[in-house]
């Protein structure tokens, strides 16, 4: 099955460590925060490239976001992906999960579908993990979420995933096409291939689609198509702690602490 | 704007919670949601209903009533004996279209998230995932969901004024379950279901389950981070002496030093122990949210500037590989034991 087509959904997010909160206004200070590919999406990409190594075929990266995403997504090309599809239109802005999944699903339909659609477990700025099941619903496909390992049977056109559950794991199988989300940190994403890096950045295959290219229903994209509104930002309640520092040798500290905790009675 | 399957005008003023069950027992998350749902319902003067999907689950209805439900909807079918997202989504969708509740809450467990993500799209409504608190305005009937944003310092308040049901997921451990009142009674409604096996596409090939750990139940939690350099045996000894469990930040779980279910925090477990130790943990808010409900927090860190000390009652600047064994020895001496 050399015509295997895997789509990996990837997003670019501000680096979590670099996003600060203004202590007075409690607003996010994004200025100066650098961006990166959402780390779990690198695990999804590695999963896809591993399947391509074994079965051949091609890997497409799909992303909805502003044009500034493009250079980050080219890193995926330098790792071995074949094509980037960036869904970029001011009209897509302000999308919640419903509008995001609708738009990504239109993108997949526009590229004539796929055998497998891989997502990360969650996005570090959304952290909802609701895109993979939502995408599966729009496309009417089965879903295997939170899998740590995936195999495909090219002849039977089935995908099998290992999913961690409380106290163990389960193996789930579904016919392809299917949507799969990769458990964060389930693999080591490969490095860029420096032999193809320059080509990826200079002449890599990047297609940008706007709302009209997707024949998207305008009432279903971006802020307009999003049921959810942010009604406010509030201070996170932080519980007041005593913050008492204990000093001495480890033995003295141990005695002191256990006494304060009432554990020596 | 895209319209939800039923509108604000067509809704019923009711709160529904999805009651997850495994082999004929309600999961703890179900009791947590019933407890929060009861609070919201009382303030709004609305009824609280629980929805149970499964096979031969009728005996669970009484437990749901005792834990606060006014009504229990049962989707009972042979094809619901085991969780599969296709059949469970279909049954839940049918129930919601019949009951048309204003609010629908689901536990943020792996299966709950699978289900909620599909349902929100099927219902063309919004879904606020991993809420840390919920409020319902009795006057407007609008649900406000609190979500911790980046770095946890910010709470975003989310609403969906024009779409129904107002859906939200809540991770296990965020709300405390309430005590049962066995005397409570209520209505039990059996939902007629028309499910056919053809809709099932995902199949389980194999399942291996051992004894799972449930950190939400631990009264003492001894957590280790990257700073303990993989030495979880020492933390295990301390935990055992205190009758507690070992927890971890994400990096040791990623590296396989502990099972994933011991990961504490935003994408792990939210715990409410009496006492929590944070050993070799810097204090990223992703982790801190997991222990912020602890009665007492003790932190051990070599770096006096580590943010974890901001969130701790007792702060120990020191090497965990020296302080933890000292604690173990002190406890052993106290108890007159010399073995582990
Ligand atoms: C979307 C998202 C979700 C996340 N979810 C979670 C989550 O649920 N839970 C979670 O924990 N993290 C989560 N993280 C990761 C989180 O941001 C932090 O990276 C992580 O909590 C840091 O773990 P740590 O404190 O163990 O490691 P580090 O930040 O590396 O801190 C190690 C600490 O150990 C101290 N130390 C070193 N040696 C010693 C010694 N000998 N004795 C004592 N102290 C020592 C150091 O001073 C340092 O403070 C998430 C991240 C993202 C982006
Ligand atoms: N804007 C986007 N473009 C492409 N993929 C996305 C986007 N948002 C989310 N995803 C995918 O969905 C996964 C889960 O994201 P979320 O549901 O936002 O937590 C991510 O890891 C990505 O694989």
């Amino acid at each position: 099955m050399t015509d295997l087509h895997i789509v990996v959904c990837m997003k670019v997010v501000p680096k979590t460590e670099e996003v600060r909160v203004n202590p007075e206004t409690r607003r996010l200070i994004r200025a100066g925060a650098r961006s990166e590919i959402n780390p779990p999406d690198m695990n999804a990409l590695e999963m896809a490239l591993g399947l391509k190594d074994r079965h051949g075929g091609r890997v497409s990266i799909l992303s909805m976001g502003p044009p500034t995403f493009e250079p980050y997504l080219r890193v995926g090309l330098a790792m071995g992906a074949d094509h980037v599809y960036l869904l970029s239109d001011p009209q897509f802005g302000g999308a919640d999960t419903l509008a995001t999944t609708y738009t990504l699903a239109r993108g997949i339909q526009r590229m004539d579908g796929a055998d497998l659609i891989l997502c990360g477990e969650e996005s570090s700025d959304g952290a909802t993990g609701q895109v993979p099941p939502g995408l599966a619903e729009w496309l009417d496909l089965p879903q295997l979420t939170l899998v740590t390992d995936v195999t495909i049977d090219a002849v039977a056109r089935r995908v099998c995933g290992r999913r961690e559950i409380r106290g163990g794991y389960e193996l789930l199988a579904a016919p392809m096409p299917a949507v799969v989300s990769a458990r964060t940190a389930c693999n080591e994403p490969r490095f860029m291939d420096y032999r193809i890096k320059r080509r990826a950045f200079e002449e890599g295959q990047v297609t940008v689609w706007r709302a009209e290219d997707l024949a998207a229903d305008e009432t279903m994209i971006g802020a307009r198509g999003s049921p959810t509104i942010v009604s406010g930002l509030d201070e996170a309640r932080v519980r007041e702690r005593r913050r008492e520092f204990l000093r001495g040798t480890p033995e003295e500290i141990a005695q002191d602490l256990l006494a304060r905790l009432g554990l020596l009675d | 704007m895209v319209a939800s399957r039923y509108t604000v005008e067509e809704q019923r003023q009711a709160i529904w919670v999805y009651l997850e069950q495994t082999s004929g027992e309600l999961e703890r998350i179900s009791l947590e949601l019933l407890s929060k749902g009861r609070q919201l319902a009382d303030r709004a003067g609305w009824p609280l209903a629980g929805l149970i999907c499964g096979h031969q689950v009728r005996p669970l209805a009484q437990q749901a009533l005792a834990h606060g439900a006014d009504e229990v909807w049962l989707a009972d079918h042979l094809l619901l004996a085991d969780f599969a997202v296709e059949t469970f989504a279909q049954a839940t969708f049918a129930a919601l279209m019949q009951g048309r509740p204003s609010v629908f809450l689901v536990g943020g467990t792996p299966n709950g998230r699978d289900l909620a993500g599909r349902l929100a799209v099927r219902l063309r409504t919004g879904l606020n995932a991993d809420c840390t608190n919920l409020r319902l305005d009795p006057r407007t009937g609008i649900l406000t969901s609190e979500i911790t944003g980046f770095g946890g310092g910010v709470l975003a308040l989310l609403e969906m004024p024009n779409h129904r049901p107002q859906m939200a997921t809540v991770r296990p451990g965020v709300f405390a379950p309430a005590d049962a009142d066995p005397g409570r009674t209520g209505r039990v409604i059996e939902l007629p279901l028309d499910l056919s096996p053809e809709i099932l596409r995902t199949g389980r090939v194999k399942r291996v389950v051992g004894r799972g750990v449930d950190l939400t139940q631990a009264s003492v939690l001894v957590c280790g981070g990257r700073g303990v350099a993989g030495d979880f045996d020492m933390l295990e000894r301390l935990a055992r002496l205190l009758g507690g469990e070992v927890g971890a930040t994400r990096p040791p779980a990623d590296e396989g030093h502990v099972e994933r279910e011991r990961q504490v925090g935003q994408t792990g477990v939210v715990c409410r122990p009496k006492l929590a130790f944070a050993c070799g943990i810097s204090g990223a808010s992703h982790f801190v949210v997991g222990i912020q409900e602890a009665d007492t927090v003790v932190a051990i860190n070599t770096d006096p500037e580590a943010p974890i000390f901001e969130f701790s009652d007792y702060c120990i600047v020191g090497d965990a590989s020296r302080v933890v064994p000292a604690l173990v020895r002190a406890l052993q001496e106290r108890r007159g034991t010399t073995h582990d």
Side-chain angles (χ1 to χ4, degrees), chain A residues 93-186:
Chain A
D96 71 0
T97 318
L98 186 65
T100 300
T101 52
Y102 170 76
T103 310
L104 291 174
R106 293 299 305 169
I108 290 166
Q109 283 162 344
R110 179 69 218 285
M111 54 173 96
D112 285 330
D115 299 297
L116 213 53
I117 297 148
L118 293 183
C119 292
E121 174 179 341
E122 65 190 6
S123 52
S124 64
D125 59 347
T128 69
Q130 299 301 348
V131 164
L135 202 50
E137 176 70 18
W138 282 114
L139 297 169
D140 190 21
L141 296 179
Q143 71 195 44
L144 306 182
T145 56
L146 304 174
V147 308
T148 52
D149 193 23
V150 65
T151 53
I152 57 178
D153 181 334
V155 179
R157 288 190 56 79
R158 285 181 78 74
V159 53
C160 182
R162 182 190 159 109
R163 185 180 197 234
E164 288 173 28
I165 51 175
R166 198 163 75 211
Y169 70 92
E170 57 189 11
L171 290 180
L172 299 174
M176 297 203 292
V179 175
V180 173
S181 82
R183 186 76 165 113
T184 302
C186 65

Side-chain angles (χ1 to χ4, degrees), chain A residues 126 128, chain B residues 128-133 145-149 154-158 169:
Chain A
T128 69
Chain B
N128 298 328
D130 290 352
C131 303
T132 48
N133 203 3
S145 305
E146 287 185 14
I147 312 269
T148 44
V154 185
L155 279 180
L157 304 180
L158 305 181
T169 62

Side-chain angles (χ1 to χ4, degrees), chain B residues 60-246:
Chain B
L60 297 178
Q62 183 48 42
Q63 198 190 346
L65 294 173
H67 275 91
D70 300 307
E71 268 174 20
V72 177
W73 289 60
L74 292 177
D76 203 309
H77 197 285
L78 184 58
L79 283 176
L80 299 174
D82 255 331
F83 180 84
V85 77
E86 293 93 350
T87 43
F88 274 60
Q90 178 142 333
T92 310
F93 180 72
L96 289 166
M97 289 308 291
Q98 196 170 323
R100 299 198 305 272
S102 176
V103 173
F104 185 48
L105 309 178
V106 181
T109 59
N111 289 346
R113 288 151 71 93
D114 269 12
L115 183 65
R118 280 198 97 113
L119 274 174
V121 168
R122 199 169 297 183
L123 291 155
R124 304 287 189 269
T125 190
L127 172 57
N128 298 328
D130 290 352
C131 303
T132 48
N133 203 3
L134 299 167
R135 277 177 271 157
L136 184 63
D137 186 326
R139 207 171 40 80
T140 59
I142 299 221
L143 181 79
T144 305
S145 305
E146 287 185 14
I147 312 269
T148 44
F150 268 119
V154 185
L155 279 180
L157 304 180
L158 305 181
E159 294 172 0
M160 50 191 104
N162 304 315
H163 290 70
R164 294 296 179 270
Q166 304 175 80
M167 281 184 69
T169 62
V170 179
R171 290 249 178 186
V174 172
F175 299 128
D179 291 334
D181 172 359
R184 276 184 59 96
T185 54
R187 221 151 63 95
V188 179
I189 298 145
E190 297 234 21
L191 192 75
L193 272 183
D194 186 17
L195 295 178
S196 71
E198 284 86 75
I199 63 167
L200 262 178
R201 284 178 293 188
T202 323
R204 189 174 292 106
V205 181
K206 186 173 170 188
R207 173 193 256 158
V208 180
V209 245
R211 190 190 72 94
V213 275
D214 183 3
L215 292 192
T216 64
Q217 307 277 37
S219 65
V220 176
L221 201 59
V222 181
C223 300
R226 199 151 23 197
V228 300
D231 186 0
F232 279 84
D233 289 347
M234 126 188 128
L235 302 184
E236 177 68 45
R237 278 193 283 277
L238 180 59
R240 219 177 305 152
L241 282 161
L242 295 171
E245 288 284 353
V246 167

